[in-house]
Amino acid sequence: ETRPPAVMAMTVLDVVFAGPVVRRVVTLDAGPTWVVTSPADGAAPADGRRGDRVDVLWQQDAVRRVG
């Protein structure tokens, strides 16, 4: 059974265009910083400029503990 996607509100710190992908450096209000990657094919929304508040969504089954 697949769990519903997780969603968190974050602030975009930086946007990096890297060929076929766009990397957005985002931070939670509590402090952790993540890098979110999406295709640069125009299919993903163009939201996420520096300083924007965005909702980040991911499949919970794709989460792996590191360290």
Side-chain angles (χ1 to χ4, degrees):
E1 180 178 314
T2 303
R3 297 185 290 175
V7 179
M8 295 184 111
M10 301 185 184
T11 301
V12 178
L13 298 178
D14 200 7
V15 180
V16 178
F17 296 92
V21 297
V22 178
R23 293 186 182 109
R24 289 177 180 86
V25 181
V26 295
T27 186
L28 290 168
D29 292 339
T33 300
W34 296 356
V35 176
V36 178
T37 304
S38 60
D41 60 6
D47 298 341
R49 294 184 178 98
R50 287 183 194 158
D52 284 355
R53 291 289 290 175
V54 295
D55 288 331
V56 177
L57 174 119
W58 66 93
Q59 295 299 324
Q60 293 185 49
D61 296 340
V63 175
R64 303 289 183 262
R65 182 178 297 266
V66 178

